[in-house]
Amino acid sequence: MSALRTALAFTGTVLLLGTTLTAQTVKTIVNNGSSANRYDIVILGDGYQASEQSRFDSDCLAVVGKLFATEPYKSYALYFNVHTVFRASKDSGADHPDVSPPIVKDTVYDASYNTGGTPRCLYIKNTSQALRDAALAPAAEGRVMVVVNDSRYGGCAGQFAVTYNGSSMTEVQAHEFGHSFAGLADEYDYPNNTYTGPEPAARNITADPTGKAKWPLWLGTSGVSAYEGAGYYLKGLFRPKSNCLMRNLGQPLCPVCGEQIVLSAYATVTPIDNPLPTASTLSADRGVKLGFSFTNLVPVSGNGLVTWKIDGTPQSSSGNQLTVDTGTLAYGIHKIEVEVLDRTPFVRNDPNGLPRKTRTWTLNVSTQLPDLSAFYLQTYPATAGGNTSIVTVVQNLGPVSSPAVQVEHFLSVDKVISPDDIYLGGITQPPIAPNAVVAPNRDPVRIPAHVAPGVYNLGVVIDRADAVKEIDETNNVLWIPLAISKAGCIADLGYADQVYPPKANTLVGKTGGSVHPTVTAPCNAGDTYAILLGCTGTTPGTPLGGLNLPLNVDACTRVFFAASLGSTLVTGFVGTLDSGGYGRGAINLPPAVATGTLTGHFAAVVIDRTTGAFVRVTDAVQFTFQ
Amino acid sequence: MRIHLLLGALGVAAVAGTLALRPGSPDAPPPPSSALAPPADIGHLILQLEGDVRALQVVHLTPKPSAFNPTYRPSPFSIDLYDQAGNRLGSYPLDLSRFDTDPLRVGQPLRVEGCEVRDPHIAMLANIPYLPDACSIRICRGDKELGRLENVDYQRMLTAGVNR
């Protein structure tokens, strides 16, 4: 059972029919959730004087503790809240009209033994005041417990479940609440009575000597059969089990009684608690993803089965939440439904299907979003280091204009945009009117020299940052094949990073990162290369043999060159061009190691591996550290 | 010199190069972009009913802030809510199973069998939703009306209940 929590709600004094009543105190002693989805039990006390309020409080805790230690209340404790209302009586105890001389007490609800001529039937007479007080609780389902401060054994149940507060109080109240809450019949019998009437309404007694009329699904299991003697008759009425709390105190509830208690709980409570969104009617733009969720109250023993449906079609999710991509739904009204089935072992006979609950949302998918579609893409065979042009056609299929959007191009091996793809840059496309078609062409587009020859996938990606909400987010990419041929006898330095053009790059000290200046000299495979850093510009440059390196060699050059030798963070700045003629430098900087700024350039030189002569120099690329 | 900043950074990073990556938090389902206004569900009323199977009246009502929690208990009795124009706004089953509803027993004292009380005098609480347009309450057994609370009394009780 959840923690008992006490919250003093309020006190007050009312006048009724000229009689001054003492102040009432309302407490919530079990709070398992909103009363909008709980069975709210109210406990009243009678025959407690003001000085005995703490006794009433402890009696209530004992009653509740026993109830929720008893199956199936124990398993379904989360389905209940419990509130108490205390109003002091003038006298302590209850009326005993059947003793001599009679005992008469002035109590707030006028509790009395010998109700209906049955000595142990302890019930209340002032039901009007009891109901009015019960209604002071935050919520009340109608059935009300009453604990009477009297040590003489007794109890009775009707609209109220009444018990004395002696040693058997908790057992008596659990028994009486079985009547009041679940409509269970007494299973005990009186000697020499034989029943000849019609089939009783209560589910736990029957006139059928086989038991099949009431509990056919329990017969032969858990000790259930048809035992003669029930409902105050020794003969002619039958009970499910030899013993049960509805027959004798100190016994557990039999399976048939337990079943009725679970079904009674489900008459008021749904296991689909706290459903979100709270509104049952929703409207969303097409393309938006909506989350639906709830808290599942089904106890572990119930092995709850969750089924989500969209327009009657079961979904793969069987958990407590479902994300609905409205981009997959047509415009108009749709039904989102979750069904929870409590497969509890406590219930076998369930003609009304109470443990199966559903919650439905009505979703109106509206049309107030643009829908950018990569409609057409065309390019021409290209050479690494050379230029091509790309024709792109973008259509806005939505009913409203799109804002300005980025249109970008990539070369990819696998048609999945990832950091190892080659970025070809992009443009900003101005707003596109509804149903309009635009052609944001790019000419020229330079293919980086470091791109190895081969067949790639050229892709256009619209709104890569997902900055524009669209009806359909799945039609923003289009791929076509593109053959890239080998570069000629050039010497190029460029960044093999996703920057365009690949001639400038930045490393941020705060966040860290990588830059990859790459030498491309296809006709010099096997020769030596060195990538040099200069901080003082590219002109006039530095004469190297008959060549001019577009970099002013300076202190930066010397320090960085020395630092790069043997460093694990600066690699590949000096080496041998591979079989494709590539020399791949890299700086890999972890985050948050330095502040400051540096602006410089890289340029590379190629040295003949046999003569040691400078045979090529590259162009310079810009480098910024900040 | 500036280059020392970069080179110093590289050196520090080499020492502290094993920074742990922080895992990303799982994406929660986004809320809806818009929603229609929820129904005017502003709570419920607890009715106190008194009478018998022939005549049953609302003698008190208590407004509550929590939403109405309907109960599934099939019954031939119902509490029906009507608006000013006489349109029925809703019908809610009324469970009288704990009472003696034999018309021939009306006015008789309660009976006790075992520890069960069967009283022909009905005194009970019943919940109904609070519907702003409702202005009368009718208690029915099928088509037969057992009692009603008309607009003036309904508003008076509502106010009295609120003020308590």
Side-chain angles (χ1 to χ4, degrees):
Chain A
M1 191 177 71
S2 69
L4 299 180
R5 285 180 286 179
T6 301
L8 180 63
F10 59 88
T11 61
T13 302
V14 296
L15 293 174
L16 179 68
L17 299 176
T19 300
T20 301
L21 294 172
T22 56
Q24 78 282 346
T25 303
V26 181
K27 296 179 180 178
T28 295
I29 62 171
V30 176
N31 183 355
N32 280 315
S34 168
S35 292
N37 187 38
R38 294 295 183 285
Y39 191 96
D40 288 89
I41 297 172
V42 179
I43 308 178
L44 305 177
D46 196 30
Y48 293 87
Q49 294 177 309
S51 61
E52 296 172 306
Q53 184 171 351
S54 61
R55 172 69 190 272
F56 170 72
D57 291 341
S58 63
D59 287 345
C60 290
L61 291 177
V63 165
V64 169
K66 170 62 180 178
L67 188 71
F68 292 116
T70 304
E71 289 290 12
Y73 295 109
K74 182 179 180 180
S75 291
Y76 288 86
L78 286 177
Y79 288 47
F80 295 86
N81 290 333
V82 182
H83 316 282
T84 64
V85 180
F86 177 79
R87 193 189 294 279
S89 294
K90 181 180 178 183
D91 292 335
S92 181
D95 294 349
H96 297 223
D98 53 343
V99 300
S100 181
I103 297 172
V104 178
K105 301 285 188 174
D106 183 357
T107 65
V108 64
Y109 308 129
D110 201 9
S112 177
Y113 290 89
N114 202 43
T115 300
T118 300
R120 63 181 168 76
C121 182
L122 175 62
Y123 206 63
I124 59 173
K125 296 176 184 173
N126 191 353
T127 54
S128 295
Q129 184 59 49
L131 292 174
R132 191 164 296 202
D133 281 355
L136 294 173
E141 306 302 335
R143 306 292 197 254
V144 178
M145 291 182 178
V146 181
V147 182
V148 178
N149 184 29
D150 200 299
S151 61
R152 175 180 160 185
Y153 179 86
C156 241
Q159 187 69 8
F160 299 88
V162 183
T163 180
Y164 81 125
N165 69 344
S167 60
S168 297
M169 168 185 67
T170 59
E171 292 280 342
V172 171
Q173 187 54 267
H175 172 97
E176 304 302 350
F177 194 62
H179 293 305
S180 178
F181 174 63
L184 298 174
D186 281 320
E187 294 182 11
Y188 51 82
D189 54 76
Y190 294 146
N192 304 319
N193 283 355
T194 299
Y195 184 77
T196 58
E199 178 67 22
R203 298 297 306 177
N204 63 323
I205 60 174
T206 181
D208 176 6
T210 69
K212 291 180 180 177
K214 285 288 177 62
W215 48 83
L217 300 179
W218 289 102
L219 286 170
T221 63
S222 304
V224 173
S225 182
Y227 297 87
E228 192 162 28
Y232 324 123
Y233 290 88
L234 182 63
K235 301 288 184 183
L237 279 181
F238 300 83
R239 62 188 187 276
K241 203 166 176 181
S242 60
N243 220 337
C244 171
L245 178 60
M246 298 312 291
R247 180 174 172 87
N248 278 312
L249 301 184
Q251 297 295 320
L253 286 157
C254 74
V256 174
C257 291
E259 180 178 71
Q260 288 308 302
I261 285 164
V262 173
L263 294 178
S264 295
Y266 272 119
T268 303
V269 181
T270 168
I272 305 170
D273 196 36
N274 189 29
L276 295 174
T278 54
S280 58
T281 302
L282 308 167
S283 182
D285 295 329
R286 189 158 187 259
V288 169
K289 292 182 179 177
L290 295 179
F292 295 81
S293 65
F294 68 99
T295 301
N296 193 342
L297 294 185
V298 172
V300 172
S301 62
N303 190 21
L305 177 64
V306 178
T307 305
W308 290 91
K309 295 179 182 176
I310 299 177
D311 296 328
T313 301
Q315 305 296 297
S316 58
S317 171
S318 60
N320 295 352
Q321 65 180 33
L322 176 73
T323 298
V324 174
D325 182 356
T326 60
T328 65
L329 302 177
Y331 298 126
I333 303 298
H334 299 272
K335 186 170 78 170
I336 313 299
E337 181 181 84
V338 62
E339 176 187 277
V340 176
L341 172 63
D342 182 354
R343 295 178 285 190
T344 171
F346 289 109
V347 176
R348 293 185 184 177
N349 183 22
D350 174 29
N352 295 312
L354 286 175
R356 184 188 301 270
K357 302 289 186 181
T358 60
R359 162 79 190 212
T360 301
W361 292 265
T362 300
L363 173 61
N364 178 20
V365 176
S366 57
T367 61
Q368 300 306 306
L369 289 175
D371 183 10
L372 297 168
S373 171
F375 185 71
Y376 180 78
L377 183 63
Q378 178 181 315
T379 189
Y380 304 93
T383 299
N387 292 334
T388 187
S389 64
I390 301 175
V391 177
T392 306
V393 178
V394 178
Q395 185 173 14
N396 178 8
L397 299 171
V400 295
S401 291
S402 72
V405 65
Q406 285 295 113
V407 178
E408 299 169 289
H409 296 95
F410 288 83
L411 290 176
S412 174
V413 174
D414 55 9
K415 296 185 180 181
V416 177
I417 300 298
S418 56
D420 62 347
D421 290 332
I422 297 157
Y423 184 57
L424 298 182
I427 60 171
T428 299
Q429 168 61 45
I432 307 173
N435 298 310
V437 177
V438 298
N441 294 339
R442 298 179 60 206
D443 186 19
V445 176
R446 179 175 171 82
I447 305 297
H450 69 265
V451 175
V455 177
Y456 292 82
N457 298 292
L458 171 67
V460 58
V461 182
I462 303 170
D463 188 28
R464 177 162 60 113
D466 202 19
V468 180
K469 290 295 180 188
E470 302 178 55
I471 293 172
D472 185 353
E473 299 282 6
T474 67
N475 59 356
N476 290 8
V477 179
L478 185 63
W479 298 97
I480 58 172
L482 173 61
I484 304 291
S485 56
K486 186 177 180 179
C489 284
I490 61 171
D492 178 273
L493 182 64
Y495 288 103
D497 302 302
Q498 288 189 338
V499 291
Y500 186 89
K503 297 296 182 182
N505 209 349
T506 299
L507 198 54
V508 179
K510 183 176 180 181
T511 59
S514 299
V515 294
H516 300 88
T518 300
V519 178
T520 303
C523 299
N524 294 84
D527 284 344
T528 301
Y529 73 94
I531 303 172
L532 305 175
L533 172 68
C535 301
T536 52
T538 59
T539 57
T542 302
L544 294 174
L547 305 173
N548 186 53
L549 180 72
L551 188 77
N552 297 332
V553 172
D554 52 23
C556 285
T557 312
R558 289 185 285 275
V559 172
F560 188 81
F561 184 80
S564 67
L565 297 176
S567 170
T568 58
L569 303 179
V570 180
T571 61
F573 274 68
V574 177
T576 300
L577 296 172
D578 65 17
S579 60
Y582 304 108
R584 306 179 192 279
I587 302 174
N588 300 297
L589 185 64
V593 296
T595 59
T597 58
L598 180 149
T599 301
H601 293 84
F602 290 120
V605 59
V606 178
I607 305 163
D608 188 286
R609 62 186 178 279
T610 56
T611 66
F614 299 111
V615 292
R616 294 186 188 278
V617 294
T618 69
D619 53 345
V621 298
Q622 187 173 320
F623 173 66
T624 303
F625 173 77
Q626 63 186 28
Chain B
M1 294 176 65
R2 287 173 177 171
I3 188 64
H4 292 146
L5 296 172
L6 174 61
L7 298 176
L10 296 174
V12 172
V15 174
T18 55
L19 296 176
L21 293 175
R22 286 179 298 176
S25 59
D27 291 336
S33 62
S34 60
L36 298 179
D41 190 2
I42 61 171
H44 72 283
L45 303 176
I46 300 180
L47 305 183
Q48 182 173 341
L49 307 178
E50 302 239 8
D52 54 46
V53 72
R54 291 178 177 170
L56 194 53
Q57 300 295 335
V58 179
V59 300
H60 192 267
L61 60 80
T62 308
K64 295 295 177 183
S66 57
F68 174 60
N69 185 16
T71 297
Y72 177 81
R73 287 187 190 275
S75 172
F77 301 93
S78 64
I79 302 174
D80 301 338
L81 302 182
Y82 287 84
D83 66 10
Q84 187 77 43
N87 301 310
R88 192 170 75 170
L89 302 177
S91 181
Y92 308 94
L94 177 62
D95 177 18
L96 298 183
S97 62
R98 301 309 303 168
F99 297 96
D100 188 340
T101 54
D102 180 353
L104 299 178
R105 292 271 306 145
V106 170
Q108 299 295 310
L110 62 78
R111 294 182 300 177
V112 173
E113 280 191 315
C115 58
E116 289 194 82
V117 172
R118 295 292 176 187
D119 194 347
H121 174 71
I122 296 171
M124 65 177 297
L125 300 178
N127 291 333
I128 59 171
Y130 173 68
L131 304 180
D133 293 337
C135 64
S136 74
I137 298 173
R138 299 178 195 176
I139 302 168
C140 300
R141 181 177 197 168
D143 294 334
K144 183 182 178 184
E145 187 175 300
L146 304 180
R148 72 163 62 185
L149 182 66
E150 288 295 5
N151 193 18
V152 173
D153 290 334
Y154 174 64
Q155 295 301 329
R156 178 179 56 79
M157 283 191 185
L158 196 61
T159 304
V162 168
N163 288 340
R164 280 193 64 173

